[in-house]
Amino acid sequence: MTRMLKEVLQEKLDVTEIDKLYSSFDIIGSIAIIKIPETLSSKKTLIADTLIEEIKSVKTVFSQVSAIEGDYRLRRLEFLSGENTPITIHKEHGSTFKVDVINTYFSPRLSTERLRISNLISPNEVIVNMFGGVGTFSIVIARNNRSSKIYSIDSNPIAYDLCKENTEINKLSNNVFPILGDAKEIIPKKLRGIATRVLMPLPEKAKEFVDSAVSSLVNSKGIVHYFAHVGAENKKNAIQSALLDTTASFGDINHTIRNVRVVREVGPRFYQIVSDVEVI
Ligand SMILES: C[S@@+](CC[C@H](N)C(=O)[O-])C[C@H]1O[C@@H](n2cnc3c(N)ncnc32)[C@H](O)[C@@H]1O
């Protein structure tokens, strides 16, 4: 995608300006979100208009003007061009997601991970997704595993509402059960000892929720997909850091780490990882 953007901008920006463009941007449904360096800010409308002209599916362009922040993991966006709406429909692995790119978290860069986890599920599993967002992991898993039941918790009311809508859009109301609230409070009240598997896709904070995750497993045994951010010199070292981080987070809980993988690079020498942990 970067190459495409650079190619289309070749006639409008000089080489140094093109080089300054960040290496990637996201397309979510009909919305493009691009990071524009300060030095190119006078060209931001030109860049946004070019994107709309050249990429047929793009109807709206926002520039990302903050990091992903806060409990709801949101980024501030500045509208640049096209239809001024944060709402779009995104398709992934045959699932359809209604997304609000300003008021909810959504990343198309997790699509491989969603598919990977959905391929690990056995028949009749009961799954707790502690940080379900608009229903992304839950819906991809349920679509590919029709005998599974997934409780999809999120504390952001807008994400919860969209999760309910997405569950209906994808005709999965018998499989995905959206729940509004803080996972730490919901699990002891409603989901204690019921799950074969727990997803923890909140890498910034998952370590604070490990005890809650384990308490929702049947007899405190089962699989936990634990996400974290780790610092490392390179991708290979990130696996070692991930093993150390996971072992520390599970502390004296009896467990084996079945698999560790780097999901993506999230900054210089900073990686998002996932560990598939069996609690025994
Ligand atoms: C990184 S996002 C992941 C969302 C979703 N799993 C996805 O990949 O699209 C983390 C989500 O956790 C939610 N969240 C944060 N703290 C929470 C908590 N204590 N309990 C439940 N949800 C929480 C946020 O609102 C956000 O939607």
Side-chain angles (χ1 to χ4, degrees), residues 68 70-74 104-107 110 114 129-138 152-157 159 179-186 199-205 209 264 272:
I68 294 181
D71 284 346
Y72 297 164
R73 310 310 301 146
L74 306 177
T104 61
Y105 177 91
F106 179 83
S107 175
L110 295 173
R114 291 192 258 273
N129 183 355
M130 293 177 75
F131 311 111
V134 301
T136 46
F137 277 90
S138 308
S152 199
I153 309 169
D154 206 283
S155 54
N156 175 353
I179 301 176
L180 174 63
D182 179 341
K184 236 179 217 169
E185 291 169 12
I186 297 292
L199 270 63
M200 307 183 78
L202 179 60
E204 300 76 15
K205 277 197 182 168
F209 291 81
R264 56 186 174 146
Q272 179 173 346

Short mmCIF file of all heavy atoms in Angstrom, two decimals, residues 68 70-74 104-107 110 114 129-138 152-157 159 179-186 199-205 209 264 272, ligand 1:
data_model
loop_
_atom_site.label_atom_id
_atom_site.label_comp_id
_atom_site.label_asym_id
_atom_site.label_seq_id
_atom_site.Cartn_x
_atom_site.Cartn_y
_atom_site.Cartn_z
N ILE A 68 -2.43 5.91 20.23
CA ILE A 68 -3.63 5.24 20.74
C ILE A 68 -3.58 5.35 22.26
O ILE A 68 -2.59 4.98 22.88
CB ILE A 68 -3.69 3.79 20.25
CG1 ILE A 68 -3.89 3.83 18.73
CG2 ILE A 68 -4.81 3.01 20.93
CD1 ILE A 68 -3.99 2.50 18.05
N GLY A 70 -5.64 5.89 26.37
CA GLY A 70 -6.77 5.77 27.29
C GLY A 70 -7.30 4.35 27.42
O GLY A 70 -6.89 3.44 26.71
N ASP A 71 -8.26 4.19 28.34
CA ASP A 71 -8.83 2.87 28.61
C ASP A 71 -9.49 2.27 27.37
O ASP A 71 -9.46 1.06 27.17
CB ASP A 71 -9.88 2.96 29.73
CG ASP A 71 -9.21 3.10 31.09
OD1 ASP A 71 -7.98 2.86 31.17
OD2 ASP A 71 -9.90 3.46 32.06
N TYR A 72 -10.11 3.13 26.55
CA TYR A 72 -10.82 2.61 25.38
C TYR A 72 -9.91 2.44 24.17
O TYR A 72 -10.36 2.02 23.12
CB TYR A 72 -11.99 3.53 25.01
CG TYR A 72 -13.08 3.67 26.05
CD1 TYR A 72 -14.00 4.71 25.99
CD2 TYR A 72 -13.19 2.75 27.10
CE1 TYR A 72 -15.01 4.83 26.92
CE2 TYR A 72 -14.20 2.88 28.05
CZ TYR A 72 -15.11 3.92 27.96
OH TYR A 72 -16.11 4.05 28.90
N ARG A 73 -8.64 2.77 24.31
CA ARG A 73 -7.63 2.63 23.24
C ARG A 73 -8.07 3.36 21.96
O ARG A 73 -8.21 2.78 20.89
CB ARG A 73 -7.35 1.13 22.93
CG ARG A 73 -7.05 0.25 24.11
CD ARG A 73 -6.00 0.78 25.04
NE ARG A 73 -4.73 1.00 24.40
CZ ARG A 73 -3.89 2.00 24.73
NH1 ARG A 73 -4.18 2.86 25.69
NH2 ARG A 73 -2.75 2.13 24.10
N LEU A 74 -8.24 4.69 22.09
CA LEU A 74 -8.70 5.50 20.96
C LEU A 74 -7.57 6.42 20.50
O LEU A 74 -6.68 6.77 21.26
CB LEU A 74 -9.90 6.35 21.37
CG LEU A 74 -11.08 5.57 21.97
CD1 LEU A 74 -12.19 6.52 22.40
CD2 LEU A 74 -11.61 4.55 20.98
N THR A 104 -14.21 4.00 18.76
CA THR A 104 -13.91 2.62 19.15
C THR A 104 -12.54 2.24 18.60
O THR A 104 -12.06 2.83 17.64
CB THR A 104 -14.94 1.61 18.59
OG1 THR A 104 -14.92 1.65 17.16
CG2 THR A 104 -16.35 1.91 19.07
N TYR A 105 -11.95 1.21 19.20
CA TYR A 105 -10.68 0.67 18.69
C TYR A 105 -10.98 -0.28 17.55
O TYR A 105 -11.87 -1.12 17.63
CB TYR A 105 -9.96 -0.10 19.80
CG TYR A 105 -8.68 -0.73 19.31
CD1 TYR A 105 -7.47 -0.05 19.38
CD2 TYR A 105 -8.68 -1.99 18.71
CE1 TYR A 105 -6.30 -0.61 18.90
CE2 TYR A 105 -7.52 -2.55 18.22
CZ TYR A 105 -6.34 -1.86 18.32
OH TYR A 105 -5.18 -2.41 17.83
N PHE A 106 -10.21 -0.16 16.48
CA PHE A 106 -10.26 -1.19 15.44
C PHE A 106 -8.93 -1.17 14.69
O PHE A 106 -8.45 -0.10 14.31
CB PHE A 106 -11.40 -0.94 14.43
CG PHE A 106 -11.43 -2.00 13.36
CD1 PHE A 106 -12.06 -3.21 13.61
CD2 PHE A 106 -10.77 -1.82 12.15
CE1 PHE A 106 -12.04 -4.22 12.64
CE2 PHE A 106 -10.76 -2.82 11.19
CZ PHE A 106 -11.40 -4.02 11.44
N SER A 107 -8.34 -2.33 14.47
CA SER A 107 -7.13 -2.39 13.65
C SER A 107 -7.23 -3.53 12.64
O SER A 107 -7.36 -4.69 13.03
CB SER A 107 -5.89 -2.59 14.51
OG SER A 107 -4.78 -2.76 13.63
N LEU A 110 -4.72 -6.74 12.78
CA LEU A 110 -4.84 -7.95 13.62
C LEU A 110 -5.57 -9.07 12.90
O LEU A 110 -5.87 -10.11 13.50
CB LEU A 110 -5.57 -7.60 14.92
CG LEU A 110 -4.81 -6.62 15.84
CD1 LEU A 110 -5.69 -6.20 17.02
CD2 LEU A 110 -3.52 -7.26 16.36
N ARG A 114 -6.53 -12.85 14.22
CA ARG A 114 -7.92 -13.30 14.44
C ARG A 114 -8.14 -14.65 13.77
O ARG A 114 -8.71 -15.57 14.35
CB ARG A 114 -8.89 -12.26 13.86
CG ARG A 114 -8.89 -10.97 14.65
CD ARG A 114 -10.06 -10.09 14.25
NE ARG A 114 -9.72 -8.99 13.38
CZ ARG A 114 -9.31 -7.80 13.76
NH1 ARG A 114 -9.14 -7.55 15.04
NH2 ARG A 114 -9.05 -6.84 12.90
N ASN A 129 -13.95 -13.47 25.78
CA ASN A 129 -13.08 -12.45 25.19
C ASN A 129 -13.18 -11.24 26.12
O ASN A 129 -14.18 -10.52 26.14
CB ASN A 129 -13.57 -12.11 23.77
CG ASN A 129 -12.66 -11.10 23.08
OD1 ASN A 129 -11.72 -10.59 23.69
ND2 ASN A 129 -12.93 -10.82 21.82
N MET A 130 -12.13 -11.02 26.92
CA MET A 130 -12.19 -10.01 27.99
C MET A 130 -12.23 -8.59 27.45
O MET A 130 -12.70 -7.68 28.13
CB MET A 130 -10.97 -10.16 28.91
CG MET A 130 -10.98 -11.45 29.70
SD MET A 130 -9.51 -11.63 30.73
CE MET A 130 -9.84 -10.49 32.06
N PHE A 131 -11.70 -8.39 26.24
CA PHE A 131 -11.59 -7.04 25.68
C PHE A 131 -12.08 -7.08 24.23
O PHE A 131 -11.30 -6.97 23.29
CB PHE A 131 -10.13 -6.57 25.77
CG PHE A 131 -9.52 -6.79 27.14
CD1 PHE A 131 -8.52 -7.73 27.35
CD2 PHE A 131 -9.98 -6.07 28.23
CE1 PHE A 131 -7.99 -7.96 28.61
CE2 PHE A 131 -9.46 -6.28 29.50
CZ PHE A 131 -8.46 -7.22 29.69
N GLY A 132 -13.38 -7.26 24.09
CA GLY A 132 -13.96 -7.66 22.80
C GLY A 132 -14.07 -6.58 21.75
O GLY A 132 -14.26 -6.89 20.57
N GLY A 133 -14.02 -5.29 22.14
CA GLY A 133 -14.18 -4.22 21.16
C GLY A 133 -15.51 -4.33 20.42
O GLY A 133 -16.54 -4.68 21.01
N VAL A 134 -15.49 -4.06 19.11
CA VAL A 134 -16.73 -4.10 18.33
C VAL A 134 -17.08 -5.53 17.92
O VAL A 134 -17.98 -5.75 17.12
CB VAL A 134 -16.66 -3.18 17.08
CG1 VAL A 134 -16.40 -1.73 17.48
CG2 VAL A 134 -15.60 -3.67 16.09
N GLY A 135 -16.34 -6.50 18.47
CA GLY A 135 -16.69 -7.91 18.24
C GLY A 135 -15.78 -8.62 17.26
O GLY A 135 -16.09 -9.75 16.85
N THR A 136 -14.66 -8.03 16.94
CA THR A 136 -13.80 -8.55 15.87
C THR A 136 -13.36 -10.01 16.08
O THR A 136 -13.74 -10.89 15.30
CB THR A 136 -12.55 -7.65 15.74
OG1 THR A 136 -12.06 -7.40 17.04
CG2 THR A 136 -12.90 -6.34 15.06
N PHE A 137 -12.57 -10.26 17.13
CA PHE A 137 -12.10 -11.64 17.36
C PHE A 137 -13.30 -12.57 17.57
O PHE A 137 -13.33 -13.68 17.03
CB PHE A 137 -11.22 -11.71 18.62
CG PHE A 137 -9.78 -11.33 18.41
CD1 PHE A 137 -9.34 -10.03 18.55
CD2 PHE A 137 -8.83 -12.29 18.07
CE1 PHE A 137 -8.01 -9.68 18.36
CE2 PHE A 137 -7.49 -11.96 17.88
CZ PHE A 137 -7.08 -10.65 18.03
N SER A 138 -14.28 -12.11 18.36
CA SER A 138 -15.41 -12.97 18.72
C SER A 138 -16.17 -13.41 17.47
O SER A 138 -16.54 -14.58 17.33
CB SER A 138 -16.36 -12.21 19.67
OG SER A 138 -15.63 -11.69 20.75
N SER A 152 -18.36 -11.65 24.89
CA SER A 152 -17.49 -10.59 24.38
C SER A 152 -17.69 -9.34 25.23
O SER A 152 -18.66 -8.61 25.07
CB SER A 152 -17.87 -10.33 22.90
OG SER A 152 -16.85 -9.68 22.21
N ILE A 153 -16.75 -9.14 26.17
CA ILE A 153 -16.89 -8.03 27.15
C ILE A 153 -16.19 -6.79 26.61
O ILE A 153 -15.10 -6.88 26.04
CB ILE A 153 -16.21 -8.40 28.49
CG1 ILE A 153 -16.68 -9.77 28.98
CG2 ILE A 153 -16.43 -7.33 29.55
CD1 ILE A 153 -15.84 -10.31 30.15
N ASP A 154 -16.77 -5.61 26.82
CA ASP A 154 -16.03 -4.36 26.60
C ASP A 154 -16.61 -3.28 27.50
O ASP A 154 -17.81 -3.23 27.74
CB ASP A 154 -16.06 -3.89 25.13
CG ASP A 154 -14.84 -3.04 24.81
OD1 ASP A 154 -14.82 -1.85 25.22
OD2 ASP A 154 -13.87 -3.56 24.21
N SER A 155 -15.71 -2.41 28.00
CA SER A 155 -16.14 -1.35 28.91
C SER A 155 -16.58 -0.09 28.16
O SER A 155 -17.16 0.80 28.75
CB SER A 155 -15.00 -1.01 29.89
OG SER A 155 -13.83 -0.70 29.16
N ASN A 156 -16.31 -0.01 26.85
CA ASN A 156 -16.69 1.16 26.06
C ASN A 156 -18.12 0.95 25.54
O ASN A 156 -18.35 0.06 24.73
CB ASN A 156 -15.69 1.32 24.90
CG ASN A 156 -16.07 2.44 23.94
OD1 ASN A 156 -17.15 3.03 24.04
ND2 ASN A 156 -15.19 2.73 23.00
N PRO A 157 -19.08 1.80 25.99
CA PRO A 157 -20.48 1.59 25.59
C PRO A 157 -20.68 1.63 24.06
O PRO A 157 -21.55 0.92 23.55
CB PRO A 157 -21.24 2.75 26.26
CG PRO A 157 -20.33 3.27 27.30
CD PRO A 157 -18.92 2.95 26.91
N ALA A 159 -18.45 0.69 21.75
CA ALA A 159 -17.96 -0.59 21.23
C ALA A 159 -18.97 -1.70 21.50
O ALA A 159 -19.25 -2.55 20.64
CB ALA A 159 -16.61 -0.93 21.86
N ILE A 179 -21.26 -8.16 26.27
CA ILE A 179 -21.49 -7.75 27.66
C ILE A 179 -20.78 -6.41 27.87
O ILE A 179 -19.60 -6.27 27.54
CB ILE A 179 -20.94 -8.79 28.67
CG1 ILE A 179 -21.60 -10.16 28.45
CG2 ILE A 179 -21.14 -8.33 30.10
CD1 ILE A 179 -21.04 -11.27 29.33
N LEU A 180 -21.51 -5.44 28.45
CA LEU A 180 -20.91 -4.13 28.73
C LEU A 180 -20.36 -4.11 30.15
O LEU A 180 -21.09 -4.43 31.10
CB LEU A 180 -21.99 -3.04 28.58
CG LEU A 180 -21.57 -1.62 28.96
CD1 LEU A 180 -20.45 -1.09 28.05
CD2 LEU A 180 -22.76 -0.66 28.91
N GLY A 181 -19.10 -3.73 30.30
CA GLY A 181 -18.56 -3.56 31.65
C GLY A 181 -17.07 -3.83 31.72
O GLY A 181 -16.42 -4.14 30.72
N ASP A 182 -16.54 -3.69 32.95
CA ASP A 182 -15.14 -3.93 33.22
C ASP A 182 -14.95 -5.45 33.42
O ASP A 182 -15.61 -6.04 34.29
CB ASP A 182 -14.76 -3.16 34.50
CG ASP A 182 -13.32 -3.36 34.92
OD1 ASP A 182 -12.68 -4.34 34.47
OD2 ASP A 182 -12.83 -2.54 35.71
N ALA A 183 -14.08 -6.05 32.63
CA ALA A 183 -13.89 -7.51 32.69
C ALA A 183 -13.59 -7.98 34.11
O ALA A 183 -14.01 -9.06 34.52
CB ALA A 183 -12.78 -7.91 31.73
N LYS A 184 -12.88 -7.14 34.87
CA LYS A 184 -12.52 -7.53 36.25
C LYS A 184 -13.75 -7.66 37.14
O LYS A 184 -13.76 -8.39 38.12
CB LYS A 184 -11.58 -6.47 36.83
CG LYS A 184 -10.27 -7.04 37.32
CD LYS A 184 -9.36 -5.98 37.86
CE LYS A 184 -7.94 -6.33 37.47
NZ LYS A 184 -6.98 -5.30 37.68
N GLU A 185 -14.81 -6.90 36.81
CA GLU A 185 -16.05 -6.98 37.61
C GLU A 185 -17.03 -8.00 37.02
O GLU A 185 -17.73 -8.69 37.75
CB GLU A 185 -16.72 -5.61 37.66
CG GLU A 185 -15.93 -4.62 38.48
CD GLU A 185 -16.44 -3.20 38.34
OE1 GLU A 185 -17.54 -2.99 37.79
OE2 GLU A 185 -15.71 -2.29 38.78
N ILE A 186 -17.06 -8.08 35.69
CA ILE A 186 -18.04 -8.98 35.03
C ILE A 186 -17.70 -10.45 35.30
O ILE A 186 -18.59 -11.26 35.58
CB ILE A 186 -18.04 -8.72 33.48
CG1 ILE A 186 -18.49 -7.30 33.17
CG2 ILE A 186 -18.86 -9.77 32.75
CD1 ILE A 186 -19.92 -6.98 33.46
N LEU A 199 -9.54 -14.93 25.84
CA LEU A 199 -8.73 -14.02 25.01
C LEU A 199 -8.48 -12.74 25.78
O LEU A 199 -9.41 -12.19 26.40
CB LEU A 199 -9.49 -13.64 23.73
CG LEU A 199 -9.32 -14.51 22.50
CD1 LEU A 199 -9.82 -15.91 22.75
CD2 LEU A 199 -10.06 -13.89 21.33
N MET A 200 -7.23 -12.24 25.73
CA MET A 200 -6.87 -11.01 26.45
C MET A 200 -6.24 -9.98 25.50
O MET A 200 -5.08 -9.59 25.67
CB MET A 200 -5.88 -11.33 27.56
CG MET A 200 -6.31 -12.41 28.51
SD MET A 200 -5.11 -12.62 29.84
CE MET A 200 -5.50 -11.23 30.88
N PRO A 201 -6.99 -9.51 24.47
CA PRO A 201 -6.36 -8.62 23.48
C PRO A 201 -6.27 -7.15 23.93
O PRO A 201 -6.76 -6.24 23.27
CB PRO A 201 -7.27 -8.78 22.25
CG PRO A 201 -8.58 -9.18 22.79
CD PRO A 201 -8.37 -9.84 24.11
N LEU A 202 -5.62 -6.94 25.08
CA LEU A 202 -5.34 -5.57 25.57
C LEU A 202 -3.87 -5.57 26.00
O LEU A 202 -3.55 -5.67 27.19
CB LEU A 202 -6.27 -5.25 26.76
CG LEU A 202 -6.11 -3.88 27.41
CD1 LEU A 202 -6.37 -2.75 26.42
CD2 LEU A 202 -7.05 -3.74 28.61
N PRO A 203 -2.96 -5.49 25.01
CA PRO A 203 -1.54 -5.73 25.32
C PRO A 203 -0.95 -4.76 26.34
O PRO A 203 -0.03 -5.13 27.07
CB PRO A 203 -0.85 -5.57 23.95
CG PRO A 203 -1.84 -4.97 23.03
CD PRO A 203 -3.21 -5.25 23.58
N GLU A 204 -1.49 -3.56 26.41
CA GLU A 204 -0.93 -2.56 27.34
C GLU A 204 -1.15 -2.96 28.79
O GLU A 204 -0.41 -2.54 29.68
CB GLU A 204 -1.57 -1.17 27.12
CG GLU A 204 -1.40 -0.58 25.74
CD GLU A 204 -2.30 -1.21 24.68
OE1 GLU A 204 -3.27 -1.92 25.05
OE2 GLU A 204 -2.02 -1.03 23.49
N LYS A 205 -2.22 -3.74 29.06
CA LYS A 205 -2.61 -3.96 30.46
C LYS A 205 -2.94 -5.40 30.80
O LYS A 205 -3.35 -5.69 31.92
CB LYS A 205 -3.88 -3.14 30.73
CG LYS A 205 -3.65 -1.69 31.06
CD LYS A 205 -4.93 -1.18 31.70
CE LYS A 205 -4.84 0.28 32.02
NZ LYS A 205 -6.16 0.80 32.37
N PHE A 209 -4.73 -8.44 34.44
CA PHE A 209 -6.00 -9.17 34.40
C PHE A 209 -5.82 -10.69 34.39
O PHE A 209 -6.77 -11.42 34.17
CB PHE A 209 -6.79 -8.76 33.14
CG PHE A 209 -7.31 -7.34 33.18
CD1 PHE A 209 -6.50 -6.27 32.87
CD2 PHE A 209 -8.64 -7.09 33.51
CE1 PHE A 209 -6.98 -4.97 32.88
CE2 PHE A 209 -9.14 -5.80 33.53
CZ PHE A 209 -8.30 -4.72 33.22
N ARG A 264 3.06 -8.02 15.62
CA ARG A 264 3.50 -6.92 14.75
C ARG A 264 4.46 -6.02 15.50
O ARG A 264 4.51 -6.03 16.74
CB ARG A 264 2.30 -6.09 14.27
CG ARG A 264 1.46 -5.56 15.41
CD ARG A 264 0.21 -4.89 14.91
NE ARG A 264 -0.63 -4.51 16.03
CZ ARG A 264 -1.40 -3.42 16.07
NH1 ARG A 264 -1.43 -2.61 15.04
NH2 ARG A 264 -2.14 -3.16 17.12
N GLN A 272 4.32 -6.08 19.56
CA GLN A 272 3.14 -6.72 20.16
C GLN A 272 3.32 -8.22 20.00
O GLN A 272 3.60 -8.72 18.90
CB GLN A 272 1.87 -6.26 19.46
CG GLN A 272 0.64 -6.93 20.05
CD GLN A 272 -0.67 -6.36 19.49
OE1 GLN A 272 -0.69 -5.33 18.86
NE2 GLN A 272 -1.74 -7.05 19.73
C1 LIG B 1 -6.86 -3.00 22.06
S1 LIG B 1 -8.63 -2.94 22.07
C2 LIG B 1 -9.01 -4.52 21.33
C3 LIG B 1 -10.44 -4.60 20.83
C4 LIG B 1 -10.75 -5.84 20.01
N1 LIG B 1 -10.37 -7.06 20.69
C5 LIG B 1 -10.07 -5.78 18.66
O1 LIG B 1 -8.99 -6.34 18.49
O2 LIG B 1 -10.64 -5.17 17.76
C6 LIG B 1 -8.97 -3.21 23.78
C7 LIG B 1 -10.45 -3.04 24.15
O3 LIG B 1 -10.56 -3.30 25.55
C8 LIG B 1 -11.52 -2.43 26.12
N2 LIG B 1 -11.22 -2.36 27.55
C9 LIG B 1 -10.24 -1.67 28.18
N3 LIG B 1 -10.25 -1.91 29.49
C10 LIG B 1 -11.26 -2.81 29.71
C11 LIG B 1 -11.74 -3.48 30.85
N4 LIG B 1 -11.22 -3.27 32.07
N5 LIG B 1 -12.76 -4.35 30.71
C12 LIG B 1 -13.32 -4.58 29.50
N6 LIG B 1 -12.91 -3.95 28.37
C13 LIG B 1 -11.88 -3.09 28.47
C14 LIG B 1 -11.37 -1.14 25.33
O4 LIG B 1 -12.54 -0.37 25.35
C15 LIG B 1 -11.03 -1.66 23.92
O5 LIG B 1 -12.18 -1.77 23.13
#
